[in-house]
Amino acid sequence: MTQSDTLSHRGKLRFYGWGYADEHLSADEEARVRAAAGRFGGDLVEVTAPRESDFDLRAPRIAPPAALASIVSATPYDRLVHSLGKSFADVARMFLRDVPQPPDLVAFPRTESDVAAVLDWASGANIAVIPFGGGSSVCGGVEPDVGDSYAGTVSLDLQYLNGVVEIDRASRAARIQAGALGPELEAQLKPHGLTLRHFPQSLQFSTLGGWIATRSGGHYASLYTHIDDFVESTRTVTPAGILETRRLPGSGAGPSPDRMIVGSEGSLGVIVEAWMRLQDRPTFQASASIAFPSMAKAVAAVRALSQSGLFPTNCRLLDPVEARNNGVGDGVSAILVLGFESADHPLDAWMHRALELVADHGGLYDVEAARRSLAPREGAAEHRQGAAGQWRNAFIRMPYYRDLMVALGMITDTFETAITWDRFETLYEGVRERTAAVIREVCGHEAGVACRFTHVYPDGPAPYFSYSAVGTRTGDLADSLAKWREIKAATNEIVVALGGTITHHHAVGRDHRGGYERQSPPLFRAALAGAKAVLDPAGVLNPGVLIDPADRPIGVRGALG
Ligand SMILES: Cc1cc2nc3c(=O)[nH]c(=O)nc-3n(C[C@H](O)[C@H](O)[C@H](O)COP(=O)(O)OP(=O)(O)OC[C@H]3O[C@@H](n4cnc5c(N)ncnc54)[C@H](O)[C@@H]3O)c2cc1C
């Protein structure tokens, strides 16, 4: 990569999909993806992956002021990388070479003052600013589709603000810049024996600022789940000035300013750093895989676990379809991947009690494997074996498979929600039945809708649904995308109608706005709009995400617009 390609300091990304440009599927993985697509029968035409030279991007409509010229890029690569996120629709549109709304410019601030200067310029010149972390949004959060009322758009990439700048060992907290990718911040914490231990599936290509802005959910299945739990204080640059909150372990002083910033999705300000609560790196680990004869029994067991006070770090329930899809089930059994971790104490008592609970609900497990996983030395290795290890490897590699699935004309997507236990069964059955019916109607074939729990709370689980369907057999990805739109609009509606949240951890962005408007009280949204009018009076920050700026009806745009 040459300086003329980009102002980024990171490796070259696959601008149209997941991963770095030079990362490829192994032959084995490629064969498996093709076999998965092949299960639907018939031939599929594969569309060739796009190259930068395939795109004739609209010329930039704006130019930066001289003072910002050195941190602003208008190269095709930089504009393409910042044009879309990483949803199915984003990848499909890239394969269609259909990027009508690239950002006019991409700014790479080196300092907080640079961020403020970009916001000053944009506010004065009616330019929309889209804060950009890792760009892993799957709901249109980073897409500069803001309507016609702006002079232009700037994507604001925080990647140079990626340091762990201060560690408070006594309080076990660190001040971390918002643009740090997961692996970057973990590498800086590791020498201190510390970890944030917030591991979304997108860890490698998502940032602290993106997590805070979207209220992301990490790997922990209970207790420490949402990034919200780790935020001690935030520092945010807004067009109206700096909003910095006080570091406190807890506070009952009125509505929390951090709670307003967390989840604001770039619409209120640019988070530049945060004090984050850390953890000691775990030294004790234990895991077990438990099979249940039915989903109902498995759900009862997980509910008991979630209300037991044991707080397993891993409590992923795979329904029979999900277990089979991941090669760890027979299509009838539900599989629970259970894990505990601690930096302080052996886990025998926790695991013992958890296994008693699952056994009460008909759960079957390998007693010897569970026992071996408790042994300190063997434990780490055991952790990566069996169904737990197999599922974990598939989980990390899964995003890499999707580009080829899209190229083959497959629609493969996920949606997630959360619901209280009393309504779970109705939601689970309803979502699976209705989604399968929509796929049957739109794509003309049967499709299995799989479900797993990503997180469990004492009062309910966060189910995560996934499906694959044939979008096109002829390489007509426009048809595939149109079918995805129908399915996506329907699943948004189904989840909200059945009482779930429109998103448990994938944010609102542009694609979930309709559902967000249905689940959030109108008076609250009016109050949020009031906050936006104060912090962003010119209405330039990520217009169309969450709410519209005052007097500028942007509405639902992006992939569903
Ligand atoms: C394969 C895959 C797996 C995923 N797995 C998970 C998962 O396990 N858990 C989960 O929660 N999500 C997951 N996601 C969704 C996504 O990774 C999260 O929403 C993540 O938090 C986004 O972080 P990012 O740095 O990539 O933000 P971006 O995608 O760059 O931005 C997301 C939103 O936040 C805003 N934003 C970004 N940085 C800032 C900032 N510094 N200040 C203000 N606003 C900002 C943007 O404007 C945008 O609205 C996944 C996505 C993919 C593609």
Side-chain angles (χ1 to χ4, degrees):
M1 197 161 44
T2 63
Q3 183 63 14
S4 58
D5 286 321
T6 181
L7 284 188
S8 168
H9 68 100
R10 291 185 172 139
K12 188 151 191 170
L13 295 165
R14 176 172 294 119
F15 70 87
Y16 60 84
W18 194 247
Y20 289 106
D22 58 2
E23 280 183 305
H24 301 288
L25 298 184
S26 69
D28 189 40
E29 287 176 323
E30 189 174 329
R32 264 188 283 130
V33 175
R34 288 183 189 282
R39 274 207 292 272
F40 290 87
D43 291 335
L44 296 168
V45 171
E46 182 174 343
V47 177
T48 54
R51 292 163 305 176
E52 275 169 56
S53 55
D54 295 343
F55 294 82
D56 186 16
L57 298 180
R58 172 178 73 187
R61 296 165 295 175
I62 49 174
L68 293 174
S70 65
I71 62 159
V72 170
S73 167
T75 67
Y77 169 78
D78 280 337
R79 294 177 70 206
L80 276 171
V81 166
H82 295 82
S83 290
L84 296 172
K86 299 296 177 198
S87 71
F88 166 85
D90 298 334
V91 179
R93 286 182 289 174
M94 281 292 183
F95 270 84
L96 281 163
R97 284 75 170 160
D98 180 23
V99 181
Q101 324 260 13
D104 293 289
L105 301 170
V106 183
F108 293 88
R110 306 308 203 266
T111 61
E112 181 182 294
S113 312
D114 288 345
V115 174
V118 170
L119 294 189
D120 270 359
W121 165 53
S123 294
N126 187 33
I127 293 165
V129 179
I130 320 291
F132 188 100
S136 68
S137 167
V138 280
C139 55
V142 292
E143 182 174 347
D145 185 0
V146 297
D148 301 325
S149 70
Y150 293 89
T153 57
V154 174
S155 183
L156 185 68
D157 187 322
L158 277 294
Q159 65 173 261
Y160 283 94
L161 303 182
N162 66 345
V164 172
V165 278
E166 201 176 338
I167 291 183
D168 169 355
R169 198 67 186 76
S171 316
R172 223 179 49 177
R175 182 157 67 92
I176 307 175
Q177 290 182 302
L181 292 171
E184 286 176 342
L185 68 86
E186 284 296 336
Q188 294 173 74
L189 294 173
K190 192 173 180 183
H192 303 273
L194 293 168
T195 171
L196 181 59
R197 285 201 80 62
H198 180 74
F199 297 147
Q201 189 185 22
S202 53
L203 178 87
Q204 202 185 351
F205 298 105
S206 58
T207 62
L208 177 68
W211 300 340
I212 296 174
T214 61
R215 304 186 66 186
S216 63
H219 236 193
Y220 273 119
S222 67
L223 200 60
Y224 302 114
T225 58
H226 274 280
I227 195 72
D228 315 24
D229 303 327
F230 302 112
V231 174
E232 197 180 66
S233 78
T234 49
R235 185 173 167 91
T236 304
V237 179
T238 80
I242 304 284
L243 195 161
E244 182 171 13
T245 65
R246 179 176 288 211
R247 278 189 69 201
L248 293 166
S251 170
S256 155
D258 284 319
R259 289 273 164 181
M260 187 175 75
I261 294 301
V262 176
S264 58
E265 299 193 21
S267 67
L268 300 180
V270 181
I271 302 157
V272 287
E273 60 181 46
W275 273 95
M276 301 300 295
R277 303 187 175 106
L278 303 175
Q279 310 200 38
D280 296 311
R281 299 181 73 78
T283 44
F284 299 92
Q285 292 175 327
S287 68
S289 301
I290 298 123
F292 292 88
S294 71
M295 183 64 176
K297 282 188 184 298
V299 170
V302 171
R303 181 160 67 85
L305 277 170
S306 76
Q307 295 174 348
S308 66
L310 291 168
F311 297 119
T313 46
N314 204 354
C315 191
R316 278 170 203 273
L317 177 59
L318 317 184
D319 84 348
V321 180
E322 176 80 16
R324 188 193 54 210
N325 290 351
N326 285 280
V328 295
D330 54 10
V332 178
S333 313
I335 303 287
L336 174 63
V337 181
L338 183 67
F340 289 93
E341 303 184 348
S342 173
D344 178 69
H345 47 258
L347 298 157
D348 306 51
W350 277 258
M351 184 57 101
H352 181 71
R353 177 63 190 137
L355 292 177
E356 274 180 357
L357 280 173
V358 297
D360 286 349
H361 295 277
L364 296 172
Y365 51 89
D366 180 338
V367 180
E368 270 310 298
R371 194 188 55 73
R372 281 200 307 276
S373 86
L374 286 159
R377 284 208 145 260
E378 294 166 45
E382 185 77 33
H383 212 59
R384 296 192 174 7
Q385 285 168 13
Q390 215 171 320
W391 187 84
R392 181 181 168 278
N393 291 341
F395 178 71
I396 290 168
R397 291 300 296 168
M398 230 173 283
Y400 288 89
Y401 303 162
R402 199 184 47 192
D403 300 349
L404 178 55
M405 290 291 264
V406 173
L408 290 168
M410 300 297 297
I411 302 172
T412 159
D413 204 8
T414 61
F415 54 98
E416 36 82 45
T417 185
I419 186 92
T420 48
W421 287 114
D422 61 323
R423 293 172 297 165
F424 169 70
E425 194 182 335
T426 309
L427 177 120
Y428 175 66
E429 297 301 345
V431 165
R432 287 182 335 130
E433 264 169 41
R434 294 192 209 176
T435 305
V438 171
I439 295 173
R440 198 178 306 123
E441 193 184 312
V442 174
C443 301
H445 66 80
E446 298 298 325
V449 178
C451 177
R452 68 174 189 259
F453 289 176
T454 57
H455 304 80
V456 288
Y457 303 94
D459 49 345
Y464 185 104
F465 295 93
S466 51
Y467 67 88
S468 294
V470 181
T472 173
R473 293 188 178 281
T474 62
D476 181 359
L477 292 188
D479 187 31
S480 194
L481 183 58
K483 287 174 176 151
W484 172 85
R485 280 198 181 103
E486 278 191 63
I487 300 170
K488 176 74 179 170
T491 51
N492 279 358
E493 172 59 31
I494 292 166
V495 161
V496 177
L498 288 168
T501 169
I502 183 69
T503 175
H504 168 262
H505 58 267
H506 276 173
V508 172
R510 292 175 171 78
D511 298 355
H512 295 149
R513 252 194 75 166
Y516 179 63
E517 284 172 10
R518 280 186 59 188
Q519 85 169 58
S520 56
L523 264 181
F524 171 75
R525 287 203 311 282
L528 192 60
K532 181 167 173 74
V534 170
L535 297 173
D536 176 24
V540 295
L541 274 167
N542 219 352
V545 159
L546 292 181
I547 49 167
D548 288 336
D551 306 325
R552 290 214 207 201
I554 304 227
V556 177
R557 303 187 67 87
L560 287 181

